Amino acid sequence: MSESPEQTGFVVQVVIDCDHAHRLADWWAETLRWEVEPQDESFIRKMIAEGVANDSDTVTWNGALVWKGTVAIRPIDGFGPGQPRILFQDVTEPKSVKNRIHLDVRAAGEDLDELRARLTERGATPIGSGQQGPHHWVVFADPEGNEFCV
């Protein structure tokens, strides 16, 4: 029996540890022109009613009951096999060293100076720049200090 291409590999989800998952997910969803993945409020209430979860596992964010401390963003066209997804999760320890992994935001067709200015206005902090051959980039920190390049 042969396997289809979808069954032979793994789908990778990037997880970002942070202080406030919902706030940072909102920031990144706007930055990437993605959407915050909807959470099923009725499912959450059912899990509480069945004793699988507690009210303390939830929070009201933007008027909806959601899981506290975890939220994902995805491309506007939805989520499916092979689609990228970024999960944000609250952690108790503060960021203490440079990230060993970071996101690169490739902004094809965008005016990079305008994009960099918008990111800075929205709370990103430029922290460096680089060049390799014809390629140039600016290193930023998001509002919680996580590095990314544009």
Side-chain angles (χ1 to χ4, degrees):
M1 172 188 241
S2 66
E3 294 182 14
S4 70
E6 296 82 30
Q7 295 171 326
T8 60
F10 295 99
V11 175
V12 174
Q13 169 178 267
V14 175
V15 179
I16 297 178
D17 294 343
C18 51
D19 293 327
H20 196 291
H22 292 280
R23 184 174 29 236
L24 197 57
D26 286 351
W27 190 88
W28 274 103
E30 183 177 338
T31 296
L32 298 175
R33 298 180 183 144
W34 285 17
E35 67 181 351
V36 173
E37 197 170 273
Q39 295 188 27
D40 186 344
E41 197 166 328
S42 63
F43 175 77
I44 294 170
R45 291 187 191 288
K46 179 181 177 197
M47 293 296 99
I48 293 169
E50 292 178 2
V52 177
N54 298 309
D55 285 324
S56 62
D57 297 325
T58 67
V59 66
T60 300
W61 185 257
N62 292 333
L65 182 70
V66 295
W67 293 114
K68 181 180 179 180
T70 58
V71 61
I73 65 171
R74 65 186 186 191
I76 297 285
D77 59 354
F79 179 71
Q83 286 270 8
R85 182 178 193 247
I86 302 173
L87 179 73
F88 297 84
Q89 66 182 9
D90 289 347
V91 296
T92 56
E93 66 273 11
K95 181 180 183 300
S96 59
V97 297
K98 182 184 182 321
N99 295 28
R100 295 290 301 210
I101 188 169
H102 66 270
L103 300 179
D104 277 347
V105 177
R106 298 181 70 196
E110 293 281 331
D111 180 292
L112 293 181
D113 291 331
E114 288 177 15
L115 176 60
R116 292 170 184 148
R118 281 195 314 270
L119 289 169
T120 302
E121 288 171 14
R122 294 186 46 249
T125 304
I127 57 175
S129 62
Q131 177 180 350
Q132 185 174 36
H135 304 287
H136 302 266
W137 61 89
V138 174
V139 182
F140 285 93
D142 72 14
E144 289 199 11
N146 300 298
E147 294 93 2
F148 68 100
C149 296
V150 174

